[in-house]
Amino acid sequence: MLVECYLVDEEGGENKVEPSELKITHKTLLIIVHHDDHYIYVFKGANVSIVQKFASARRASGMRLQHGYKIRHIEEAEGMTEADLELLAHFGGIIDDAGAPVKVAKEKAVPAKLKTPKAPPMKTFAAKKTTTTTTKKPAAVKVKTKAIALEDLPPKLSKVVKTMMSLEPPEGSSCDYILAGTKLYIILGENKTDLRKGHFKLEEISTLPEGVFPAENYYPRILVANQKVLGVELWARR
């Protein structure tokens, strides 16, 4: 198991430790970079401080940008799953101040939905005429796209694309989206793993649905020039 372990102390400081030297207690805030699972696990003991939580969130986000791994938070106070307990068991599990193993509550199961009581039967009245109405299903929201040739790019997007085409691409990844200003563009083409070759085209997603859309399968690369953020690339490991 290839892992890196970091402890965040009560003042927000970070210390890298060997897995064999770990002692996990209720006051432990542990960040585990698991290179086999491609996950960053953040374990928070029941008695960790707010300072530790803020520091770990900032550090885990930085590690996510560096490695492109997903983040999973493990909260002792909220209960843990079997998988969480098995992970901690590799590092000796949770112990108390005397070094004795601590029994940890498992994550609470989601209670089954309560049965909805049947409504009392409604009285019916005869009617002279009956009419049948049909309710049309709302049409699916379509995402409109607008193709843009590379030579016709807007100035802001042109700077982003030129920067992308000059950079070494991440290994084993392909770029699917670009954020430039307030616009989102999808990248299409035969080879999206190395944009320096120019074998791609862009389409603006001009109509976006409202809401929050976590990009769980992507990791961002932020493009900065002259102290300004030009845009964000969204890469996927493939």
Side-chain angles (χ1 to χ4, degrees):
M1 183 168 60
L2 183 58
V3 297
E4 295 178 47
C5 298
Y6 301 86
L7 289 174
V8 180
D9 60 32
E10 295 181 358
E11 296 180 356
E14 174 195 316
N15 298 296
K16 186 175 182 180
V17 296
E18 293 298 325
S20 58
E21 299 175 357
L22 276 176
K23 293 182 179 179
I24 305 174
T25 69
H26 299 307
K27 296 182 180 180
T28 297
L29 206 155
L30 173 64
I31 301 176
I32 303 170
V33 182
H34 203 306
H35 296 291
D36 294 334
D37 291 351
H38 292 178
Y39 263 92
I40 298 170
Y41 297 97
V42 182
F43 168 76
K44 303 168 190 173
N47 299 329
V48 297
S49 67
I50 295 295
V51 174
Q52 286 174 289
K53 290 182 179 180
F54 279 125
S56 66
R58 183 175 62 253
R59 188 67 182 97
S61 296
M63 292 176 174
R64 181 178 184 177
L65 288 174
Q66 178 183 358
H67 298 288
Y69 298 166
K70 296 180 181 180
I71 298 176
R72 174 168 171 76
H73 296 275
I74 303 174
E75 304 267 0
E76 181 188 2
E78 300 295 331
M80 293 183 286
T81 65
E82 287 286 354
D84 297 335
L85 295 174
E86 289 178 6
L87 175 67
L88 296 179
H90 285 289
F91 308 102
I94 303 175
I95 59 176
D96 59 20
D97 294 336
V102 173
K103 291 184 179 180
V104 181
K106 295 182 181 179
E107 189 175 45
K108 295 180 180 179
V110 178
K113 293 183 178 179
L114 297 176
K115 293 183 179 180
T116 305
K118 293 182 179 180
M122 298 180 64
K123 294 182 180 180
T124 58
F125 299 91
K128 293 182 179 179
K129 294 182 179 181
T130 58
T131 57
T132 304
T133 59
T134 57
T135 304
K136 294 183 179 180
K137 294 183 179 180
V141 177
K142 295 183 179 180
V143 178
K144 296 181 180 179
T145 61
K146 182 172 60 178
I148 302 175
L150 295 182
E151 60 270 16
D152 297 328
L153 296 176
K156 288 185 179 180
L157 182 59
S158 179
K159 291 181 181 180
V160 175
V161 173
K162 288 179 180 178
T163 302
M164 292 172 56
M165 296 178 70
S166 66
L167 297 175
E168 185 79 19
E171 185 177 355
S173 303
S174 61
C175 189
D176 289 341
Y177 298 95
I178 304 174
L179 291 168
T182 59
K183 299 292 185 179
L184 176 64
Y185 301 89
I186 186 170
I187 300 179
L188 303 173
E190 300 176 358
N191 185 1
K192 299 186 292 182
T193 59
D194 191 346
L195 302 179
R196 295 174 299 179
K197 298 179 181 179
H199 298 160
F200 66 94
K201 64 179 180 179
L202 298 175
E203 287 190 0
E204 177 189 343
I205 302 178
S206 56
T207 303
L208 293 171
E210 299 291 333
V212 178
F213 306 93
E216 295 182 351
N217 298 323
Y218 293 93
Y219 62 94
R221 185 164 72 169
I222 302 172
L223 306 178
V224 181
N226 299 323
Q227 303 299 313
K228 292 183 179 180
V229 176
L230 296 181
V232 179
E233 306 166 349
L234 294 179
W235 291 80
R237 293 191 181 279
R238 295 191 175 95

